[in-house]
Amino acid sequence: NKTLKCWQVHTGIDLNARTGGNSDAGDSVHCVADGEIVSVGTYPGWGGIIVVRHPQFGVRTRYAHVDNFKVKAGDFVKAGQVIALIAPAKIVNGVQVWSAHLHFDVIPKELPAVHWCFCSKDCVQKNYLDPTAWLLERNAMTNTTLRPARDE
């Protein structure tokens, strides 16, 4: 019998400076819109995660692979406010699991901070918005909110 592995379906976008690799480690992560911090924590396989509720848009945004948290649950934040730093590359048993980057997704309903879709594109379509379209609609991709400042 052949065992098939089913990997996680990607729920968002990964943002990295044009220089790529681990060049983003330590760069500031800015909140894309005013909101309330719902969850701040560290989770296996993802490192630091922050979830922000944005009542004006009826969504939550999630920032993963971060550290040096600058906020805590219950804090209110403004658009552009620094909420964390991009964590360095994840190394497990001498193997690099990921390069330094920001994982960002947009969630239109209340889900646990660590809700992820496995093996199901239907799950992603039902529980997440297209983050690129959501950001473009709000001009967030054209400012420095998510892009590292060192991107020259």
Side-chain angles (χ1 to χ4, degrees):
N1 267 351
K2 189 175 185 181
T3 303
L4 296 176
K5 290 186 178 182
C6 185
W7 301 104
Q8 177 186 352
V9 177
H10 204 253
T11 58
I13 55 174
D14 289 334
L15 300 167
N16 197 289
R18 284 188 283 274
T19 49
N22 292 309
S23 63
D24 289 356
D27 282 350
S28 298
V29 176
H30 302 258
C31 192
V32 296
D34 294 354
E36 179 184 4
I37 304 296
V38 173
S39 177
V40 176
T42 303
Y43 302 94
W46 286 93
I49 295 176
I50 296 176
V51 178
V52 184
R53 183 176 62 86
H54 307 282
Q56 71 274 39
F57 300 120
V59 301
R60 294 170 184 232
T61 54
R62 181 171 53 185
Y63 308 77
H65 309 315
V66 300
D67 63 10
N68 290 303
F69 302 121
K70 309 296 182 195
V71 293
K72 63 186 179 317
D75 286 352
F76 288 90
V77 293
K78 292 289 194 184
Q81 182 175 333
V82 175
I83 58 174
L85 301 180
I86 295 176
K90 175 77 171 177
I91 310 290
V92 176
N93 298 324
V95 175
Q96 183 170 307
V97 178
W98 71 71
S99 297
H101 70 281
L102 176 67
H103 171 91
F104 175 81
D105 46 29
V106 182
I107 307 163
K109 58 175 96 175
E110 186 172 341
L111 295 172
V114 292
H115 180 274
W116 306 103
C117 293
F118 291 89
C119 307
S120 171
K121 289 182 183 176
D122 182 57
C123 174
V124 173
Q125 291 171 338
K126 198 181 312 178
N127 294 296
Y128 296 85
L129 298 178
D130 176 345
T132 302
W134 191 86
L135 289 166
L136 288 171
E137 286 170 12
R138 285 148 195 84
N139 292 320
M141 290 292 275
T142 59
N143 64 30
T144 59
T145 304
L146 288 172
R147 302 294 298 172
R150 281 197 318 236
D151 214 22
E152 291 133 27

